[in-house]
Amino acid sequence: MKVGLFGANGRMGRVLIEALDASEDAHLSVATVRDDSPWVGMNVGELSGIGKKHIDCSGISSLKNTDADVMIDFTLPVVFESNLAWCVENKVPVVIGTTGLNESQLHSLDNAALHIPIVFAANYSVGVNLMLSLVRKAANVLGGTADIEITEAHHRFKQDAPSGTAMAIGEAIADELGRDLKTCAVYGREGKEPEREHNTIGFATVRAGDIVGEHTALFADIGERLEITHKASSRLTFAKGAVHAAQWLSGKPAGLYSMEDVLGLKE
Ligand code: NAD
């Protein structure tokens, strides 16, 4: 399988190059950066620190000559719509990891999925996707009485908060409890506040150093509490998951798929 990459120079782009190099079945066929990027012409292996490989980074306009079977996009919301439009126009399936999308961008994603197969996940690690099933179960058993709080920590460069994964955990819990996350979420607390309202789901964010990604869902009652925590120690876990998703996507009909679909975790 030939895989094309958007944003090859990003933190995720570099580990995706590494994950594709290690894969037996999926191979990098084009690695794009901005047309005006200083990385155009840089060897992908040297970029990701794995030694010289047979592909150099090319400007995004080189995509018109690509024969990629699937694209992988871990970039930023600012470039999300144009990457997606290219995939739809050229009928190339895409695996998307970009987080922090707004309502209108999520709407574009739904529309695009009418034309091409797409995997979209806020987190491509196996552990986090298992965590989504576990928090549903915990919500089902404890959610009636326990207070629910989600905390997350990431590196100092992350540009969206709370993380897409924290939001996905919140959505899973709210869905299980029949609540609407839009109305029951509380983002951060400061100063004098009234007592905690039981039906809320709280979010707290830490940004520091080089933390790859940590998430905890806390279910706290009087007398006991349950914490479900996932800690990623390497971005390679997300990259390997995305490559796995790209292979899984091959031959699928148009539609919007999740990593839970890819891993067969949906009940
Ligand atoms: P990064 O800042 O290191 O990389 C961003 C990439 O986007 C770079 O390649 C950059 O060149 C490109 N880009 C930015 N603006 C652009 C523009 N205007 N035109 C073209 N390209 C542009 O970020 P990162 O840490 O690699 O993370 C990338 C995305 O992946 C973020 O949204 C992050 O939250 C998300 N992420 C998702 C997962 C997951 O499992 N789904 C895991 C980690 C990170």
Side-chain angles (χ1 to χ4, degrees):
M1 164 181 275
K2 290 181 271 254
V3 179
L5 195 55
F6 292 111
N9 60 315
R11 279 178 290 271
M12 279 305 301
R14 291 170 202 231
V15 287
L16 281 158
I17 292 167
E18 192 181 340
L20 284 162
D21 186 59
S23 168
E24 289 191 357
D25 307 313
H27 304 286
L28 186 64
S29 66
V30 62
T32 68
V33 293
R34 276 192 252 199
D35 279 333
D36 61 354
S37 166
W39 301 103
V40 172
M42 173 88 180
N43 185 268
V44 295
E46 289 175 348
L47 177 64
S48 69
I50 54 170
K52 205 165 169 73
K53 299 291 163 188
H54 67 288
I55 290 180
D56 294 333
C57 292
S58 40
I60 193 113
S61 52
S62 69
L63 271 181
K64 54 179 176 288
N65 303 319
T66 187
D67 56 354
D69 300 309
V70 58
M71 293 296 297
I72 299 182
D73 183 10
F74 280 63
T75 54
L76 296 183
V78 66
V79 72
F80 166 80
E81 305 249 20
S82 60
N83 289 351
L84 186 64
W86 184 89
C87 294
V88 171
E89 206 179 308
N90 293 280
K91 301 213 175 331
V92 181
V94 60
V95 171
I96 301 173
T98 307
T99 64
L101 303 180
N102 62 29
E103 290 288 330
S104 144
Q105 289 165 329
L106 290 171
H107 186 64
S108 303
L109 186 65
D110 286 335
N111 280 340
L114 299 172
H115 306 284
I116 55 170
I118 300 173
V119 179
F120 174 64
N123 197 303
Y124 279 86
S125 83
V126 175
V128 158
N129 285 283
L130 178 59
M131 184 176 174
L132 293 177
S133 310
L134 297 177
V135 297
R136 279 181 184 275
K137 187 158 192 183
N140 199 10
V141 177
L142 301 170
T145 56
D147 298 325
I148 303 170
E149 298 277 318
I150 297 163
T151 53
E152 60 101 340
H154 281 87
H155 52 91
R156 65 171 67 146
F157 307 104
K158 186 160 176 66
Q159 294 192 11
D160 55 315
S163 70
T165 303
M167 296 306 295
I169 292 168
E171 293 283 1
I173 293 171
D175 181 56
E176 195 65 30
L177 295 174
R179 298 182 197 166
D180 179 0
L181 193 63
K182 283 195 183 69
T183 54
C184 75
V186 173
Y187 299 103
R189 297 183 179 89
E190 190 187 24
K192 203 166 159 45
E193 291 211 351
E195 244 175 48
R196 189 186 196 287
E197 268 184 49
H198 173 65
N199 279 342
T200 55
I201 297 177
F203 288 83
T205 295
V206 172
R207 293 286 174 264
D210 60 355
I211 301 170
V212 173
E214 301 186 359
H215 296 87
T216 294
L218 165 68
F219 298 83
D221 209 335
I222 305 297
E224 68 170 345
R225 66 180 191 265
L226 171 70
E227 293 178 23
I228 301 173
T229 296
H230 178 270
K231 296 184 182 183
S233 48
S234 164
R235 286 185 180 84
L236 210 47
T237 188
F238 310 128
K240 283 182 184 163
V243 171
H244 179 54
Q247 288 170 275
W248 179 89
L249 202 51
S250 167
K252 291 281 180 303
L256 188 56
Y257 303 98
S258 68
M259 196 56 185
E260 287 174 280
D261 291 318
V262 174
L263 296 171
L265 291 170
K266 277 219 169 130
E267 286 172 9

